[in-house]
Amino acid sequence: MITVATAAAVAAALTLTGCSTESSGPTGSSHGRPDAPELTVSGEFMPQPVSDMAAGFLTVRNGGGKADRLTSVTSPISDTVTIHESKGQRMRKVDSFPIPADGALALERGGSHIMFEQLKQRPKKGEKVSVELRFETSGPIRVELPVMETGYNPSKATTGETDGKDGKDGKGAPETGSGAAGGSGAPSGATDPAQSPEPADGRPAEHTSEHH
C-alpha cells in the first residue's frame, strides 16, 4: 500500500510539473517573444468622404526583431476594404504591405492607404470609424479612425503650410481643406486618390488589378 501511494504521489507531481499556462502577448504581438513582431499603431485618421468611397491613413510601427506584413483590413462601414499603393494617378490594389523589424509601415496621403468602397454611410468630421488590421504573424489590432476635414493632411498641419489658395506664400494657418463643407472648390491634392477618393473632375481614379 505504501509503495502504491508513493508511486501515485510521484506521478501526480510529475503531471503538475508538466502543466503550464502560456500567456498571450499584447494585441499585435506574438506571445511576447523577443524574436517576434511588436506592433503599435499611431497617426490614424480618415478624411471626411465626398462620395461612397473613403481612404484611411495610419502608421504601424514594429518594435520587435522580426518583420511582419499587413495582409487585410476590415470595417463595419464597408464590406469592401482593401489596401492600395498610389503612384501619381494610378492606384494599385496589393495583397499585403511589409512591416520591417525595428521599422514602420506608413500609410500616408499621396501614397499607400486603406480604401473603403461602397460605404454603408458617410461618416462626418468628429466621428470615428472602427477598423481591424490583420497581419501575417501578429494578432489583429482594432483601431478607431477619427474623421477629419476632407483636406486634412497631418504633415501640413504640423508645418503650418497651406495650399496657397489664401494668397499667402505657403506659411501661416494649417490647411483646413478647401473642399470641406462650406469651403470653395476641391480640396488640395484632390486628384490624388490617396488624398481624396473622388478627383476634382468628378471621374473615379484609375484602378488596376495588378498584385505584388
Side-chain angles (χ1 to χ4, degrees), residues 69-73 80-87 90-99 105-107 111-115 117 134 206-212:
R69 300 188 73 89
L70 174 65
T71 56
S72 65
V73 181
T80 306
V81 184
T82 51
I83 50 179
H84 287 250
E85 177 184 61
S86 288
K87 291 183 179 179
R90 296 180 65 85
M91 185 165 57
R92 181 177 67 171
K93 176 184 174 182
V94 296
D95 292 325
S96 64
F97 280 122
I99 310 171
L105 165 65
L107 305 183
S112 303
H113 57 281
I114 303 168
M115 178 59 69
E117 300 180 59
R134 296 177 180 175
E206 181 179 359
H207 288 69
T208 64
S209 57
E210 181 181 354
H211 294 259
H212 283 318

PDB file of all heavy atoms in Angstrom, residues 69-73 80-87 90-99 105-107 111-115 117 134 206-212:
ATOM      1  N   ARG A  69       3.731  41.489 -41.863  1.00  0.00           N
ATOM      2  CA  ARG A  69       3.061  42.050 -43.027  1.00  0.00           C
ATOM      3  C   ARG A  69       1.618  42.390 -42.676  1.00  0.00           C
ATOM      4  O   ARG A  69       0.952  41.626 -41.977  1.00  0.00           O
ATOM      5  CB  ARG A  69       3.084  41.076 -44.212  1.00  0.00           C
ATOM      6  CG  ARG A  69       4.462  40.681 -44.683  1.00  0.00           C
ATOM      7  CD  ARG A  69       4.406  39.873 -45.977  1.00  0.00           C
ATOM      8  NE  ARG A  69       4.078  40.726 -47.121  1.00  0.00           N
ATOM      9  CZ  ARG A  69       4.998  41.372 -47.848  1.00  0.00           C
ATOM     10  NH1 ARG A  69       6.280  41.255 -47.562  1.00  0.00           N
ATOM     11  NH2 ARG A  69       4.622  42.120 -48.869  1.00  0.00           N
ATOM     12  N   LEU A  70       1.155  43.538 -43.147  1.00  0.00           N
ATOM     13  CA  LEU A  70      -0.264  43.877 -43.080  1.00  0.00           C
ATOM     14  C   LEU A  70      -0.936  43.178 -44.252  1.00  0.00           C
ATOM     15  O   LEU A  70      -0.595  43.428 -45.411  1.00  0.00           O
ATOM     16  CB  LEU A  70      -0.460  45.384 -43.178  1.00  0.00           C
ATOM     17  CG  LEU A  70      -1.912  45.876 -43.257  1.00  0.00           C
ATOM     18  CD1 LEU A  70      -2.662  45.571 -41.968  1.00  0.00           C
ATOM     19  CD2 LEU A  70      -1.956  47.376 -43.562  1.00  0.00           C
ATOM     20  N   THR A  71      -1.881  42.286 -43.964  1.00  0.00           N
ATOM     21  CA  THR A  71      -2.476  41.467 -45.016  1.00  0.00           C
ATOM     22  C   THR A  71      -3.898  41.879 -45.382  1.00  0.00           C
ATOM     23  O   THR A  71      -4.334  41.646 -46.517  1.00  0.00           O
ATOM     24  CB  THR A  71      -2.480  39.988 -44.609  1.00  0.00           C
ATOM     25  OG1 THR A  71      -3.170  39.845 -43.354  1.00  0.00           O
ATOM     26  CG2 THR A  71      -1.047  39.469 -44.460  1.00  0.00           C
ATOM     27  N   SER A  72      -4.644  42.464 -44.450  1.00  0.00           N
ATOM     28  CA  SER A  72      -6.007  42.877 -44.775  1.00  0.00           C
ATOM     29  C   SER A  72      -6.548  43.813 -43.707  1.00  0.00           C
ATOM     30  O   SER A  72      -5.987  43.924 -42.603  1.00  0.00           O
ATOM     31  CB  SER A  72      -6.934  41.653 -44.903  1.00  0.00           C
ATOM     32  OG  SER A  72      -7.058  40.985 -43.665  1.00  0.00           O
ATOM     33  N   VAL A  73      -7.645  44.471 -44.047  1.00  0.00           N
ATOM     34  CA  VAL A  73      -8.325  45.377 -43.126  1.00  0.00           C
ATOM     35  C   VAL A  73      -9.828  45.145 -43.264  1.00  0.00           C
ATOM     36  O   VAL A  73     -10.336  44.958 -44.370  1.00  0.00           O
ATOM     37  CB  VAL A  73      -7.997  46.852 -43.447  1.00  0.00           C
ATOM     38  CG1 VAL A  73      -8.702  47.783 -42.459  1.00  0.00           C
ATOM     39  CG2 VAL A  73      -6.489  47.097 -43.424  1.00  0.00           C
ATOM     40  N   THR A  80     -16.241  46.173 -48.536  1.00  0.00           N
ATOM     41  CA  THR A  80     -15.115  46.117 -49.467  1.00  0.00           C
ATOM     42  C   THR A  80     -14.030  47.064 -48.991  1.00  0.00           C
ATOM     43  O   THR A  80     -14.045  48.270 -49.279  1.00  0.00           O
ATOM     44  CB  THR A  80     -15.556  46.506 -50.893  1.00  0.00           C
ATOM     45  OG1 THR A  80     -16.667  45.701 -51.289  1.00  0.00           O
ATOM     46  CG2 THR A  80     -14.418  46.307 -51.887  1.00  0.00           C
ATOM     47  N   VAL A  81     -13.104  46.523 -48.207  1.00  0.00           N
ATOM     48  CA  VAL A  81     -11.981  47.306 -47.695  1.00  0.00           C
ATOM     49  C   VAL A  81     -10.698  46.653 -48.190  1.00  0.00           C
ATOM     50  O   VAL A  81     -10.468  45.466 -47.963  1.00  0.00           O
ATOM     51  CB  VAL A  81     -11.978  47.358 -46.153  1.00  0.00           C
ATOM     52  CG1 VAL A  81     -10.848  48.272 -45.659  1.00  0.00           C
ATOM     53  CG2 VAL A  81     -13.324  47.823 -45.616  1.00  0.00           C
ATOM     54  N   THR A  82      -9.876  47.420 -48.892  1.00  0.00           N
ATOM     55  CA  THR A  82      -8.653  46.896 -49.484  1.00  0.00           C
ATOM     56  C   THR A  82      -7.485  47.810 -49.154  1.00  0.00           C
ATOM     57  O   THR A  82      -7.669  48.935 -48.673  1.00  0.00           O
ATOM     58  CB  THR A  82      -8.793  46.760 -51.008  1.00  0.00           C
ATOM     59  OG1 THR A  82      -9.261  47.998 -51.543  1.00  0.00           O
ATOM     60  CG2 THR A  82      -9.778  45.659 -51.366  1.00  0.00           C
ATOM     61  N   ILE A  83      -6.279  47.314 -49.412  1.00  0.00           N
ATOM     62  CA  ILE A  83      -5.092  48.137 -49.208  1.00  0.00           C
ATOM     63  C   ILE A  83      -4.492  48.451 -50.573  1.00  0.00           C
ATOM     64  O   ILE A  83      -4.419  47.581 -51.440  1.00  0.00           O
ATOM     65  CB  ILE A  83      -4.073  47.456 -48.270  1.00  0.00           C
ATOM     66  CG1 ILE A  83      -3.778  46.013 -48.698  1.00  0.00           C
ATOM     67  CG2 ILE A  83      -4.580  47.485 -46.839  1.00  0.00           C
ATOM     68  CD1 ILE A  83      -2.761  45.298 -47.816  1.00  0.00           C
ATOM     69  N   HIS A  84      -4.089  49.706 -50.746  1.00  0.00           N
ATOM     70  CA  HIS A  84      -3.676  50.206 -52.058  1.00  0.00           C
ATOM     71  C   HIS A  84      -2.344  50.932 -51.983  1.00  0.00           C
ATOM     72  O   HIS A  84      -2.012  51.568 -50.989  1.00  0.00           O
ATOM     73  CB  HIS A  84      -4.717  51.179 -52.613  1.00  0.00           C
ATOM     74  CG  HIS A  84      -5.967  50.525 -53.080  1.00  0.00           C
ATOM     75  ND1 HIS A  84      -6.330  50.439 -54.401  1.00  0.00           N
ATOM     76  CD2 HIS A  84      -6.956  49.894 -52.388  1.00  0.00           C
ATOM     77  CE1 HIS A  84      -7.487  49.802 -54.516  1.00  0.00           C
ATOM     78  NE2 HIS A  84      -7.894  49.470 -53.302  1.00  0.00           N
ATOM     79  N   GLU A  85      -1.646  50.873 -53.091  1.00  0.00           N
ATOM     80  CA  GLU A  85      -0.433  51.650 -53.300  1.00  0.00           C
ATOM     81  C   GLU A  85      -0.736  52.668 -54.387  1.00  0.00           C
ATOM     82  O   GLU A  85      -1.251  52.322 -55.455  1.00  0.00           O
ATOM     83  CB  GLU A  85       0.700  50.726 -53.743  1.00  0.00           C
ATOM     84  CG  GLU A  85       2.005  51.439 -54.051  1.00  0.00           C
ATOM     85  CD  GLU A  85       3.053  50.475 -54.568  1.00  0.00           C
ATOM     86  OE1 GLU A  85       2.824  49.855 -55.628  1.00  0.00           O
ATOM     87  OE2 GLU A  85       4.085  50.321 -53.901  1.00  0.00           O
ATOM     88  N   SER A  86      -0.447  53.946 -54.120  1.00  0.00           N
ATOM     89  CA  SER A  86      -0.718  55.002 -55.091  1.00  0.00           C
ATOM     90  C   SER A  86       0.578  55.569 -55.637  1.00  0.00           C
ATOM     91  O   SER A  86       1.513  55.840 -54.897  1.00  0.00           O
ATOM     92  CB  SER A  86      -1.523  56.143 -54.452  1.00  0.00           C
ATOM     93  OG  SER A  86      -2.849  55.744 -54.223  1.00  0.00           O
ATOM     94  N   LYS A  87       0.596  55.732 -56.960  1.00  0.00           N
ATOM     95  CA  LYS A  87       1.710  56.401 -57.628  1.00  0.00           C
ATOM     96  C   LYS A  87       1.123  57.312 -58.690  1.00  0.00           C
ATOM     97  O   LYS A  87       0.611  56.841 -59.703  1.00  0.00           O
ATOM     98  CB  LYS A  87       2.661  55.381 -58.251  1.00  0.00           C
ATOM     99  CG  LYS A  87       3.437  54.566 -57.221  1.00  0.00           C
ATOM    100  CD  LYS A  87       4.432  53.625 -57.889  1.00  0.00           C
ATOM    101  CE  LYS A  87       5.221  52.843 -56.850  1.00  0.00           C
ATOM    102  NZ  LYS A  87       6.194  51.904 -57.485  1.00  0.00           N
ATOM    103  N   ARG A  90      -2.350  56.642 -60.608  1.00  0.00           N
ATOM    104  CA  ARG A  90      -2.640  55.211 -60.635  1.00  0.00           C
ATOM    105  C   ARG A  90      -2.694  54.653 -59.219  1.00  0.00           C
ATOM    106  O   ARG A  90      -1.848  54.952 -58.387  1.00  0.00           O
ATOM    107  CB  ARG A  90      -1.593  54.463 -61.460  1.00  0.00           C
ATOM    108  CG  ARG A  90      -1.602  54.860 -62.930  1.00  0.00           C
ATOM    109  CD  ARG A  90      -0.542  54.104 -63.709  1.00  0.00           C
ATOM    110  NE  ARG A  90      -0.820  52.662 -63.742  1.00  0.00           N
ATOM    111  CZ  ARG A  90      -1.626  52.099 -64.628  1.00  0.00           C
ATOM    112  NH1 ARG A  90      -2.241  52.822 -65.539  1.00  0.00           N
ATOM    113  NH2 ARG A  90      -1.828  50.796 -64.620  1.00  0.00           N
ATOM    114  N   MET A  91      -3.699  53.829 -58.974  1.00  0.00           N
ATOM    115  CA  MET A  91      -3.904  53.241 -57.665  1.00  0.00           C
ATOM    116  C   MET A  91      -3.966  51.724 -57.836  1.00  0.00           C
ATOM    117  O   MET A  91      -4.810  51.221 -58.578  1.00  0.00           O
ATOM    118  CB  MET A  91      -5.207  53.780 -57.058  1.00  0.00           C
ATOM    119  CG  MET A  91      -5.464  53.328 -55.635  1.00  0.00           C
ATOM    120  SD  MET A  91      -6.752  54.350 -54.864  1.00  0.00           S
ATOM    121  CE  MET A  91      -8.116  54.121 -56.007  1.00  0.00           C
ATOM    122  N   ARG A  92      -3.063  51.017 -57.196  1.00  0.00           N
ATOM    123  CA  ARG A  92      -2.960  49.578 -57.389  1.00  0.00           C
ATOM    124  C   ARG A  92      -3.276  48.831 -56.092  1.00  0.00           C
ATOM    125  O   ARG A  92      -2.695  49.104 -55.044  1.00  0.00           O
ATOM    126  CB  ARG A  92      -1.548  49.216 -57.865  1.00  0.00           C
ATOM    127  CG  ARG A  92      -1.364  47.740 -58.117  1.00  0.00           C
ATOM    128  CD  ARG A  92       0.017  47.437 -58.661  1.00  0.00           C
ATOM    129  NE  ARG A  92       1.064  47.693 -57.677  1.00  0.00           N
ATOM    130  CZ  ARG A  92       2.334  47.341 -57.846  1.00  0.00           C
ATOM    131  NH1 ARG A  92       2.708  46.762 -58.973  1.00  0.00           N
ATOM    132  NH2 ARG A  92       3.220  47.589 -56.914  1.00  0.00           N
ATOM    133  N   LYS A  93      -4.199  47.903 -56.179  1.00  0.00           N
ATOM    134  CA  LYS A  93      -4.511  47.056 -55.041  1.00  0.00           C
ATOM    135  C   LYS A  93      -3.373  46.057 -54.836  1.00  0.00           C
ATOM    136  O   LYS A  93      -2.844  45.492 -55.790  1.00  0.00           O
ATOM    137  CB  LYS A  93      -5.828  46.306 -55.289  1.00  0.00           C
ATOM    138  CG  LYS A  93      -6.199  45.320 -54.203  1.00  0.00           C
ATOM    139  CD  LYS A  93      -7.457  44.567 -54.588  1.00  0.00           C
ATOM    140  CE  LYS A  93      -7.769  43.460 -53.588  1.00  0.00           C
ATOM    141  NZ  LYS A  93      -8.978  42.692 -53.988  1.00  0.00           N
ATOM    142  N   VAL A  94      -2.996  45.845 -53.578  1.00  0.00           N
ATOM    143  CA  VAL A  94      -1.933  44.897 -53.263  1.00  0.00           C
ATOM    144  C   VAL A  94      -2.433  43.879 -52.242  1.00  0.00           C
ATOM    145  O   VAL A  94      -3.415  44.117 -51.537  1.00  0.00           O
ATOM    146  CB  VAL A  94      -0.670  45.615 -52.730  1.00  0.00           C
ATOM    147  CG1 VAL A  94      -0.065  46.520 -53.791  1.00  0.00           C
ATOM    148  CG2 VAL A  94      -0.981  46.418 -51.470  1.00  0.00           C
ATOM    149  N   ASP A  95      -1.750  42.747 -52.175  1.00  0.00           N
ATOM    150  CA  ASP A  95      -2.147  41.695 -51.242  1.00  0.00           C
ATOM    151  C   ASP A  95      -1.681  41.980 -49.815  1.00  0.00           C
ATOM    152  O   ASP A  95      -2.315  41.553 -48.849  1.00  0.00           O
ATOM    153  CB  ASP A  95      -1.582  40.349 -51.690  1.00  0.00           C
ATOM    154  CG  ASP A  95      -2.219  39.854 -52.976  1.00  0.00           C
ATOM    155  OD1 ASP A  95      -3.426  40.105 -53.168  1.00  0.00           O
ATOM    156  OD2 ASP A  95      -1.523  39.225 -53.786  1.00  0.00           O
ATOM    157  N   SER A  96      -0.547  42.681 -49.675  1.00  0.00           N
ATOM    158  CA  SER A  96      -0.006  42.935 -48.349  1.00  0.00           C
ATOM    159  C   SER A  96       1.041  44.038 -48.420  1.00  0.00           C
ATOM    160  O   SER A  96       1.521  44.386 -49.500  1.00  0.00           O
ATOM    161  CB  SER A  96       0.614  41.660 -47.760  1.00  0.00           C
ATOM    162  OG  SER A  96       1.728  41.234 -48.538  1.00  0.00           O
ATOM    163  N   PHE A  97       1.377  44.571 -47.248  1.00  0.00           N
ATOM    164  CA  PHE A  97       2.460  45.543 -47.120  1.00  0.00           C
ATOM    165  C   PHE A  97       3.457  45.032 -46.079  1.00  0.00           C
ATOM    166  O   PHE A  97       3.058  44.574 -45.004  1.00  0.00           O
ATOM    167  CB  PHE A  97       1.934  46.899 -46.653  1.00  0.00           C
ATOM    168  CG  PHE A  97       1.316  47.733 -47.732  1.00  0.00           C
ATOM    169  CD1 PHE A  97      -0.001  48.167 -47.613  1.00  0.00           C
ATOM    170  CD2 PHE A  97       2.034  48.109 -48.856  1.00  0.00           C
ATOM    171  CE1 PHE A  97      -0.580  48.950 -48.595  1.00  0.00           C
ATOM    172  CE2 PHE A  97       1.461  48.885 -49.852  1.00  0.00           C
ATOM    173  CZ  PHE A  97       0.157  49.306 -49.717  1.00  0.00           C
ATOM    174  N   PRO A  98       4.759  45.121 -46.355  1.00  0.00           N
ATOM    175  CA  PRO A  98       5.746  44.684 -45.368  1.00  0.00           C
ATOM    176  C   PRO A  98       5.875  45.675 -44.217  1.00  0.00           C
ATOM    177  O   PRO A  98       5.739  46.891 -44.413  1.00  0.00           O
ATOM    178  CB  PRO A  98       7.052  44.619 -46.179  1.00  0.00           C
ATOM    179  CG  PRO A  98       6.860  45.618 -47.269  1.00  0.00           C
ATOM    180  CD  PRO A  98       5.392  45.576 -47.614  1.00  0.00           C
ATOM    181  N   ILE A  99       6.111  45.139 -43.033  1.00  0.00           N
ATOM    182  CA  ILE A  99       6.398  45.950 -41.848  1.00  0.00           C
ATOM    183  C   ILE A  99       7.749  45.472 -41.331  1.00  0.00           C
ATOM    184  O   ILE A  99       7.843  44.440 -40.660  1.00  0.00           O
ATOM    185  CB  ILE A  99       5.328  45.786 -40.762  1.00  0.00           C
ATOM    186  CG1 ILE A  99       3.931  45.964 -41.356  1.00  0.00           C
ATOM    187  CG2 ILE A  99       5.552  46.781 -39.628  1.00  0.00           C
ATOM    188  CD1 ILE A  99       2.810  45.606 -40.399  1.00  0.00           C
ATOM    189  N   LEU A 105       5.545  50.861 -41.191  1.00  0.00           N
ATOM    190  CA  LEU A 105       4.763  50.965 -42.420  1.00  0.00           C
ATOM    191  C   LEU A 105       3.943  52.242 -42.310  1.00  0.00           C
ATOM    192  O   LEU A 105       3.112  52.364 -41.417  1.00  0.00           O
ATOM    193  CB  LEU A 105       3.842  49.756 -42.577  1.00  0.00           C
ATOM    194  CG  LEU A 105       2.715  49.889 -43.612  1.00  0.00           C
ATOM    195  CD1 LEU A 105       3.284  50.025 -45.024  1.00  0.00           C
ATOM    196  CD2 LEU A 105       1.750  48.718 -43.522  1.00  0.00           C
ATOM    197  N   ALA A 106       4.180  53.192 -43.200  1.00  0.00           N
ATOM    198  CA  ALA A 106       3.466  54.465 -43.168  1.00  0.00           C
ATOM    199  C   ALA A 106       2.449  54.514 -44.304  1.00  0.00           C
ATOM    200  O   ALA A 106       2.818  54.456 -45.478  1.00  0.00           O
ATOM    201  CB  ALA A 106       4.449  55.626 -43.283  1.00  0.00           C
ATOM    202  N   LEU A 107       1.184  54.601 -43.961  1.00  0.00           N
ATOM    203  CA  LEU A 107       0.110  54.801 -44.934  1.00  0.00           C
ATOM    204  C   LEU A 107      -0.235  56.282 -44.872  1.00  0.00           C
ATOM    205  O   LEU A 107      -0.853  56.756 -43.912  1.00  0.00           O
ATOM    206  CB  LEU A 107      -1.097  53.933 -44.587  1.00  0.00           C
ATOM    207  CG  LEU A 107      -0.817  52.428 -44.447  1.00  0.00           C
ATOM    208  CD1 LEU A 107      -2.116  51.671 -44.177  1.00  0.00           C
ATOM    209  CD2 LEU A 107      -0.123  51.879 -45.680  1.00  0.00           C
ATOM    210  N   GLY A 111       0.245  58.376 -51.005  1.00  0.00           N
ATOM    211  CA  GLY A 111       0.944  57.103 -51.122  1.00  0.00           C
ATOM    212  C   GLY A 111       0.049  55.936 -50.758  1.00  0.00           C
ATOM    213  O   GLY A 111      -1.136  55.919 -51.081  1.00  0.00           O
ATOM    214  N   SER A 112       0.612  54.970 -50.076  1.00  0.00           N
ATOM    215  CA  SER A 112      -0.143  53.779 -49.681  1.00  0.00           C
ATOM    216  C   SER A 112      -1.265  54.157 -48.717  1.00  0.00           C
ATOM    217  O   SER A 112      -1.127  55.077 -47.916  1.00  0.00           O
ATOM    218  CB  SER A 112       0.797  52.759 -49.041  1.00  0.00           C
ATOM    219  OG  SER A 112       1.845  52.421 -49.935  1.00  0.00           O
ATOM    220  N   HIS A 113      -2.381  53.423 -48.786  1.00  0.00           N
ATOM    221  CA  HIS A 113      -3.531  53.776 -47.969  1.00  0.00           C
ATOM    222  C   HIS A 113      -4.516  52.614 -47.892  1.00  0.00           C
ATOM    223  O   HIS A 113      -4.389  51.626 -48.594  1.00  0.00           O
ATOM    224  CB  HIS A 113      -4.242  55.006 -48.556  1.00  0.00           C
ATOM    225  CG  HIS A 113      -4.686  54.811 -49.969  1.00  0.00           C
ATOM    226  ND1 HIS A 113      -3.823  54.903 -51.033  1.00  0.00           N
ATOM    227  CD2 HIS A 113      -5.894  54.501 -50.513  1.00  0.00           C
ATOM    228  CE1 HIS A 113      -4.462  54.671 -52.166  1.00  0.00           C
ATOM    229  NE2 HIS A 113      -5.740  54.422 -51.874  1.00  0.00           N
ATOM    230  N   ILE A 114      -5.485  52.766 -47.019  1.00  0.00           N
ATOM    231  CA  ILE A 114      -6.610  51.835 -46.912  1.00  0.00           C
ATOM    232  C   ILE A 114      -7.768  52.423 -47.705  1.00  0.00           C
ATOM    233  O   ILE A 114      -8.081  53.609 -47.566  1.00  0.00           O
ATOM    234  CB  ILE A 114      -7.026  51.634 -45.444  1.00  0.00           C
ATOM    235  CG1 ILE A 114      -5.837  51.141 -44.611  1.00  0.00           C
ATOM    236  CG2 ILE A 114      -8.193  50.655 -45.340  1.00  0.00           C
ATOM    237  CD1 ILE A 114      -6.091  51.193 -43.106  1.00  0.00           C
ATOM    238  N   MET A 115      -8.403  51.618 -48.541  1.00  0.00           N
ATOM    239  CA  MET A 115      -9.513  52.109 -49.364  1.00  0.00           C
ATOM    240  C   MET A 115     -10.822  51.444 -48.937  1.00  0.00           C
ATOM    241  O   MET A 115     -10.907  50.221 -48.850  1.00  0.00           O
ATOM    242  CB  MET A 115      -9.246  51.831 -50.843  1.00  0.00           C
ATOM    243  CG  MET A 115     -10.380  52.257 -51.763  1.00  0.00           C
ATOM    244  SD  MET A 115     -10.762  54.026 -51.648  1.00  0.00           S
ATOM    245  CE  MET A 115      -9.289  54.733 -52.392  1.00  0.00           C
ATOM    246  N   GLU A 117     -14.741  51.101 -50.024  1.00  0.00           N
ATOM    247  CA  GLU A 117     -15.636  51.296 -51.162  1.00  0.00           C
ATOM    248  C   GLU A 117     -17.077  50.961 -50.778  1.00  0.00           C
ATOM    249  O   GLU A 117     -17.318  50.176 -49.861  1.00  0.00           O
ATOM    250  CB  GLU A 117     -15.193  50.421 -52.332  1.00  0.00           C
ATOM    251  CG  GLU A 117     -13.782  50.731 -52.817  1.00  0.00           C
ATOM    252  CD  GLU A 117     -13.368  49.843 -53.975  1.00  0.00           C
ATOM    253  OE1 GLU A 117     -14.068  49.869 -55.008  1.00  0.00           O
ATOM    254  OE2 GLU A 117     -12.356  49.119 -53.840  1.00  0.00           O
ATOM    255  N   ARG A 134      -5.248  43.252 -39.844  1.00  0.00           N
ATOM    256  CA  ARG A 134      -4.851  41.849 -39.718  1.00  0.00           C
ATOM    257  C   ARG A 134      -3.472  41.647 -40.333  1.00  0.00           C
ATOM    258  O   ARG A 134      -3.146  42.246 -41.365  1.00  0.00           O
ATOM    259  CB  ARG A 134      -5.882  40.944 -40.394  1.00  0.00           C
ATOM    260  CG  ARG A 134      -7.246  41.031 -39.702  1.00  0.00           C
ATOM    261  CD  ARG A 134      -8.303  40.206 -40.389  1.00  0.00           C
ATOM    262  NE  ARG A 134      -9.583  40.321 -39.700  1.00  0.00           N
ATOM    263  CZ  ARG A 134     -10.713  39.774 -40.137  1.00  0.00           C
ATOM    264  NH1 ARG A 134     -10.715  39.077 -41.273  1.00  0.00           N
ATOM    265  NH2 ARG A 134     -11.838  39.921 -39.461  1.00  0.00           N
ATOM    266  N   GLU A 206      -8.172  56.002 -61.525  1.00  0.00           N
ATOM    267  CA  GLU A 206      -7.876  54.807 -62.308  1.00  0.00           C
ATOM    268  C   GLU A 206      -7.403  53.701 -61.402  1.00  0.00           C
ATOM    269  O   GLU A 206      -6.520  53.884 -60.581  1.00  0.00           O
ATOM    270  CB  GLU A 206      -6.801  55.126 -63.350  1.00  0.00           C
ATOM    271  CG  GLU A 206      -6.446  53.940 -64.236  1.00  0.00           C
ATOM    272  CD  GLU A 206      -5.398  54.306 -65.268  1.00  0.00           C
ATOM    273  OE1 GLU A 206      -4.992  55.482 -65.290  1.00  0.00           O
ATOM    274  OE2 GLU A 206      -4.998  53.415 -66.021  1.00  0.00           O
ATOM    275  N   HIS A 207      -8.002  52.523 -61.522  1.00  0.00           N
ATOM    276  CA  HIS A 207      -7.623  51.371 -60.727  1.00  0.00           C
ATOM    277  C   HIS A 207      -6.969  50.340 -61.625  1.00  0.00           C
ATOM    278  O   HIS A 207      -7.303  50.210 -62.800  1.00  0.00           O
ATOM    279  CB  HIS A 207      -8.853  50.714 -60.073  1.00  0.00           C
ATOM    280  CG  HIS A 207      -9.437  51.512 -58.965  1.00  0.00           C
ATOM    281  ND1 HIS A 207     -10.081  52.706 -59.174  1.00  0.00           N
ATOM    282  CD2 HIS A 207      -9.474  51.289 -57.629  1.00  0.00           C
ATOM    283  CE1 HIS A 207     -10.518  53.174 -58.020  1.00  0.00           C
ATOM    284  NE2 HIS A 207     -10.160  52.346 -57.074  1.00  0.00           N
ATOM    285  N   THR A 208      -6.092  49.580 -61.048  1.00  0.00           N
ATOM    286  CA  THR A 208      -5.550  48.417 -61.723  1.00  0.00           C
ATOM    287  C   THR A 208      -5.666  47.233 -60.785  1.00  0.00           C
ATOM    288  O   THR A 208      -5.680  47.395 -59.581  1.00  0.00           O
ATOM    289  CB  THR A 208      -4.067  48.594 -62.124  1.00  0.00           C
ATOM    290  OG1 THR A 208      -3.295  48.730 -60.935  1.00  0.00           O
ATOM    291  CG2 THR A 208      -3.880  49.810 -63.003  1.00  0.00           C
ATOM    292  N   SER A 209      -5.764  46.050 -61.328  1.00  0.00           N
ATOM    293  CA  SER A 209      -5.931  44.853 -60.508  1.00  0.00           C
ATOM    294  C   SER A 209      -4.627  44.120 -60.305  1.00  0.00           C
ATOM    295  O   SER A 209      -4.599  43.006 -59.817  1.00  0.00           O
ATOM    296  CB  SER A 209      -6.937  43.887 -61.176  1.00  0.00           C
ATOM    297  OG  SER A 209      -6.497  43.555 -62.482  1.00  0.00           O
ATOM    298  N   GLU A 210      -3.520  44.778 -60.673  1.00  0.00           N
ATOM    299  CA  GLU A 210      -2.216  44.131 -60.530  1.00  0.00           C
ATOM    300  C   GLU A 210      -1.881  43.925 -59.068  1.00  0.00           C
ATOM    301  O   GLU A 210      -2.142  44.783 -58.237  1.00  0.00           O
ATOM    302  CB  GLU A 210      -1.150  45.019 -61.176  1.00  0.00           C
ATOM    303  CG  GLU A 210       0.254  44.434 -61.109  1.00  0.00           C
ATOM    304  CD  GLU A 210       1.265  45.367 -61.728  1.00  0.00           C
ATOM    305  OE1 GLU A 210       0.841  46.399 -62.296  1.00  0.00           O
ATOM    306  OE2 GLU A 210       2.462  45.076 -61.653  1.00  0.00           O
ATOM    307  N   HIS A 211      -1.316  42.799 -58.745  1.00  0.00           N
ATOM    308  CA  HIS A 211      -0.924  42.474 -57.381  1.00  0.00           C
ATOM    309  C   HIS A 211       0.572  42.279 -57.322  1.00  0.00           C
ATOM    310  O   HIS A 211       1.202  41.933 -58.308  1.00  0.00           O
ATOM    311  CB  HIS A 211      -1.603  41.180 -56.893  1.00  0.00           C
ATOM    312  CG  HIS A 211      -3.070  41.338 -56.761  1.00  0.00           C
ATOM    313  ND1 HIS A 211      -3.718  41.550 -55.577  1.00  0.00           N
ATOM    314  CD2 HIS A 211      -4.063  41.312 -57.710  1.00  0.00           C
ATOM    315  CE1 HIS A 211      -5.016  41.638 -55.777  1.00  0.00           C
ATOM    316  NE2 HIS A 211      -5.236  41.502 -57.053  1.00  0.00           N
ATOM    317  N   HIS A 212       1.117  42.454 -56.092  1.00  0.00           N
ATOM    318  CA  HIS A 212       2.520  42.129 -55.895  1.00  0.00           C
ATOM    319  C   HIS A 212       2.699  40.629 -56.014  1.00  0.00           C
ATOM    320  O   HIS A 212       1.889  39.877 -55.540  1.00  0.00           O
ATOM    321  CB  HIS A 212       2.989  42.563 -54.491  1.00  0.00           C
ATOM    322  CG  HIS A 212       3.216  44.052 -54.417  1.00  0.00           C
ATOM    323  ND1 HIS A 212       3.832  44.778 -55.417  1.00  0.00           N
ATOM    324  CD2 HIS A 212       2.890  44.959 -53.463  1.00  0.00           C
ATOM    325  CE1 HIS A 212       3.913  46.038 -55.070  1.00  0.00           C
ATOM    326  NE2 HIS A 212       3.334  46.168 -53.897  1.00  0.00           N
TER     327      HIS A 212
END
